[in-house]
């Protein structure tokens, strides 16, 4: 079967924004796209039916680290991969587990071979190497597998960032070698995306982009952003990376971000996004809407019987009122978590669909500049 | 508008089971029926969309005690009642709050006037009287309001049960007096159902049935069962009550019960049921299925990729596998709670629909006797 295809349909005249279509064996993805995060085989508080409608997700993420620990690769393999296991037949992307190993796991020891760490669940010891991570992502059955990288902290000094980037590049070689030596597992084509690192250092980012581009992968990712650096720095590095990564391949900015981050980075040439923000913040009573941000816990919504968001074409967002959702949060009802998560994801998917429409219409930049302050408004 | 109508369509030749149709201003209910419990304005872990499909709920419950405390009657009134507040346009029944006052609230003091109690949330003091409860249920906007009763413990001695029953009867007079003196609140007809009490004492139950029947309400309820007494005693009292309550009015057995309890009590002449068991036990990893009971936490399901219940005509029950749902519970994923709750409610609704079909076909008793041991099976 053919590998992932990217058809670049249009590039905005006034920004670097692009609209395209990614084709995988599990269907097509219209870019720019946001990918809901299905951490442990479930997008938290959301059903697969809701992902399809009203959220209209075109691709979701699985977290390699979490799925490796639970349910484990024996169950995953017997299930026939994550698509079968969770009954989701659209594309799936898996991260490499690197980010969780560096943020969640205990007692990390990094060396050339890989990373030894302890499970955050039971303290058991595990070794992730580039080869092992490729095997795990093969077993999960991701359409898009991410390379195993080291994620340096936001405040990494130049020397640390340089060494880390070089290690990530050596690991990348091993990822590709092992990936190319192993077959697709469940009859659909799997793809490997390399990840640009280099912290906030321009020369490192540029060098990393060149190294990553040399792999001629079907798509490329930018890692190590939105990890604590100021927003302008993130945009600066994002722009630099977009300018130094191939035009004809999708560009994926990992772990970003707020609704306005997404619009700004679309303007810089990013095609794919993921972030836990819509679900995590949703579970903490924050609603993202087409009119701004709502803290639904707030007393001001107690008597507001208007829909949570009547500005988007989503029945769900019109169905439940602010007063009702506030009540659910106050009463600790699970339904509140679901409504907030579905609203936020439906909104993020609406936002990228609108962005795509405006790129196609040729008025993306004006629309983006109008939307950003609205999206930041605290209602 | 006309009050609630009950059309008794058929009574089983070999048992007291009946099939009928209840008509309310929010639509019809085909009996026998099971009513999901929407405690605080939400059927726990379930969306209103899921209640409509795949659960196919025809009527749901609201808990007066919980809704009175949160969101409170000011919000409820401004919302236009619970139908509007939660956006549920089928019938709603409210309990009287009595059961929660006696099981949840603190520092109860009962006297002729009513019950003084402390909120289980903030310790604030409140007084429930028959008149106050009627006002609250009017404000919630229930299609079917339950009378305010005292719920004696299962082991209540004769004298306590007698005094309690008499108090409940006096409160019932006040309920009807106040109900008749107050108008329907939101343009739809509200109905008041009285409740038979009398603990496990035959003569008290018989006397209570006669008193309740004398009210000529549009429907009648049996309270104070499934509160700790042995199952055979529950069936015995249920039968006695069915025999002493009007034939042409729906009979509602409050708070019962397991799937086999429901089939046995349908056989005795009950038309309406409610219980938190499908949702509460679901959240504790117990799945009710057409083949028996599954503890989905159990290791035996780890590699079982078959659907959670392929024996009922519900897409949902075919969609998720046992292995997947077990994984969700092991990983404490909210989706597990939702899948289990929806499965259990869809199963309960399927069960009463099947019962209705077999009553209409004339083979209910044989079907019931075949099903009961299956439903009790621990898989």
């Amino acid at each position: 079967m053919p590998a992932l295809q990217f058809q670049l349909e249009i590039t905005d005249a006034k920004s670097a924004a692009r609209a395209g279509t990614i084709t995988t064996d599990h269907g097509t993805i219209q870019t720019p796209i946001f990918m809901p995060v299905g951490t442990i085989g479930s997008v938290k508080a959301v059903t697969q039916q809701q992902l399809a409608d009203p959220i209209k997700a075109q691709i979701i993420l699985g977290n390699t680290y979490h799925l490796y620990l639970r349910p484990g690769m024996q169950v995953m393999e017997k299930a026939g991969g994550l698509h079968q296991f969770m009954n989701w037949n659209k594309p799936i992307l898996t991260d490499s587990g690197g980010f969780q190993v560096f943020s969640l796991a205990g007692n990390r020891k990094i060396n050339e071979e890989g990373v030894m760490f302890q499970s955050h669940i039971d303290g058991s010891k595990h070794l992730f190497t580039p080869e092992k991570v490729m095997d795990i992502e093969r077993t999960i059955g991701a359409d898009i597998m991410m390379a195993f990288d080291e994620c340096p902290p936001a405040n990494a000094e130049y020397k640390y960032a340089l060494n880390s980037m070089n290690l990530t590049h050596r690991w990348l070689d091993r990822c590709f070698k092992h990936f190319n030596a192993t077959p697709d597992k469940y009859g659909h084509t799997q793809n490997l995306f390399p990840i640009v690192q280099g912290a906030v250092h321009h020369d490192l980012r540029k060098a990393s982009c060149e190294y990553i581009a040399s792999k001629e992968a079907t798509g490329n990712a930018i890692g190590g952003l939105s990890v604590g650096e100021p927003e302008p720095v993130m945009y600066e590095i994002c722009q630099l990376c977009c300018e130094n990564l191939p035009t004809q391949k999708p560009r994926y900015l990992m772990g970003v971000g707020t609704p306005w981050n997404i619009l700004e980075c679309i303007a810089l040439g990013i095609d794919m996004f993921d972030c836990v923000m819509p679900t995590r913040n949703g579970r903490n009573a924050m609603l993202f809407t087409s009119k701004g941000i709502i803290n639904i816990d707030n007393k001001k919504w107690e008597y507001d019987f208007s829909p949570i968001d009547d500005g988007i074409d989503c029945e769900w967002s019109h169905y439940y009122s602010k007063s009702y959702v506030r009540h659910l949060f106050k009463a600790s009802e699970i339904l509140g978590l679901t409504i907030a998560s579905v609203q936020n994801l439906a909104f993020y998917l609406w936002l990228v669909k609108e962005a795509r429409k405006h790129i196609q219409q040729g008025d993306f930049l004006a629309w983006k500049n109008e939307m950003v302050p609205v999206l930041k408004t605290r209602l």
Side-chain angles (χ1 to χ4, degrees), chain A:
Chain A
M1 266 160 285
L4 177 150
Q5 306 286 322
F6 179 58
Q7 194 192 348
L8 181 57
E9 291 159 15
I10 189 166
T11 300
D12 188 32
K14 294 175 184 160
S15 74
R18 317 113 59 86
T21 299
I22 297 171
T23 305
T24 76
D25 286 351
H26 282 102
T28 61
I29 303 156
Q30 298 194 297
T31 63
I33 190 68
F34 178 81
M35 308 182 281
V37 181
T39 314
I40 323 182
S42 154
V43 175
K44 286 191 189 296
V46 169
T47 69
Q48 276 71 308
Q49 290 88 341
Q50 288 160 348
L51 279 177
D53 183 56
I55 294 170
K56 300 188 168 51
Q58 299 183 39
I59 171 173
I60 63 170
L61 249 75
N63 283 132
T64 289
Y65 170 86
H66 288 292
L67 292 166
Y68 164 77
L69 294 177
R70 288 182 304 201
M73 289 304 107
Q74 281 192 303
V75 168
M76 195 54 77
E77 177 133 23
K78 289 246 168 84
L82 184 57
H83 289 90
Q84 293 289 326
F85 186 56
M86 67 185 292
N87 203 351
W88 171 258
N89 60 16
K90 290 179 187 169
I92 293 175
L93 180 150
T94 41
D95 66 8
S96 69
F99 187 78
Q100 282 75 28
V101 165
F102 293 103
S103 61
L104 273 183
N107 280 330
R108 286 180 307 280
K109 277 180 203 153
I110 313 177
N111 61 26
E112 189 64 31
E113 173 65 5
V115 188
M116 182 76 84
F117 63 91
Q118 285 191 297
S119 157
H120 73 290
I121 302 164
D122 63 5
S124 55
K125 284 190 181 167
H126 304 271
L127 174 68
F128 269 9
T129 64
E131 294 78 13
K132 173 105 183 251
V133 167
M134 291 299 98
D135 287 341
I136 297 171
E137 293 189 79
R138 285 267 190 220
T139 299
I140 296 173
D143 299 275
I144 301 174
M145 299 163 46
M146 300 307 300
F148 187 57
D149 57 345
E150 196 203 339
C151 305
N155 57 359
E157 286 183 11
Y158 188 85
K159 196 175 168 190
Y160 186 98
L162 170 66
N163 289 338
S164 170
M165 181 193 79
N166 284 329
L167 179 66
T168 287
H169 291 173
R170 291 193 300 277
W171 283 358
L172 180 61
D173 294 346
R174 287 166 58 192
C175 282
F176 266 106
K177 189 173 172 198
H178 197 73
F179 173 77
N180 289 326
T182 50
D184 295 335
K185 204 139 189 172
Y186 307 109
H188 62 268
T189 306
Q190 298 186 279
N191 298 274
L192 176 58
F193 280 18
I195 303 170
V196 174
Q197 287 289 354
V200 295
H201 308 292
H202 286 217
D203 61 332
L204 297 186
R205 284 284 178 179
K206 193 154 184 291
S208 190
C209 283
E210 281 160 15
Y211 197 84
I212 265 57
S214 75
K215 294 293 172 186
E216 300 190 342
T218 52
N220 300 293
I222 303 164
L225 286 181
S226 198
V227 293
E229 77 286 0
E231 262 185 14
V233 175
M234 176 179 81
Y235 294 142
E236 192 181 291
I237 301 294
C238 179
Q239 180 172 7
L240 184 153
C241 291
C242 286
E243 288 169 358
N244 286 279
L245 284 172
T247 306
Q248 299 299 328
K249 304 289 175 66
R251 302 182 191 123
Y252 163 30
L253 178 57
M254 303 182 76
V256 176
T258 62
W260 54 94
N261 288 163
I262 287 178
L263 291 197
E264 295 293 5
C265 294
I266 288 173
L268 300 173
I270 297 293
D271 307 295
M272 303 166 70
F273 299 89
D274 81 284
C275 193
V276 294
M277 187 173 276
T279 42
R280 181 175 294 165
N281 291 28
R283 295 197 306 281
N284 287 304
M286 182 183 281
L287 301 183
F288 294 104
T289 80
S290 59
K291 288 161 187 167
I293 295 172
I294 290 175
N295 182 346
I296 201 67
D297 248 350
N298 199 301
K299 190 153 178 67
K300 75 185 282 190
W301 310 114
E302 189 172 13
Y303 290 95
D304 189 328
F305 301 105
S306 66
I308 48 181
D309 189 3
D310 58 11
I312 73 175
D313 58 345
C314 166
E315 233 179 273
W316 184 278
S317 311
H318 309 170
Y319 194 90
Y320 297 104
S321 74
K322 299 183 182 83
S323 172
Y324 180 63
V325 180
R326 175 180 188 271
H327 159 68
L328 295 176
F329 272 92
K330 285 298 181 190
S332 303
E333 284 289 331
I334 293 168
L335 180 57
L337 310 181
T338 296
I339 293 175
S341 302
V342 173
Q343 161 62 28
N344 288 353
L345 289 174
F347 168 71
Y348 267 65
L349 268 296
W350 171 85
L351 188 67
V352 294
K353 196 181 75 180
E354 285 293 298
R356 179 178 163 84
K357 188 181 82 185
H358 287 285
I359 294 166
Q360 289 171 327
Q361 284 176 194
D363 62 353
F364 170 76
L365 196 65
W367 173 79
K368 186 268 286 179
N369 289 337
E370 195 180 294
M371 280 301 284
V372 164
V374 175
L375 298 174
K376 287 180 173 176
T377 308
R378 296 268 168 174
L379 295 172

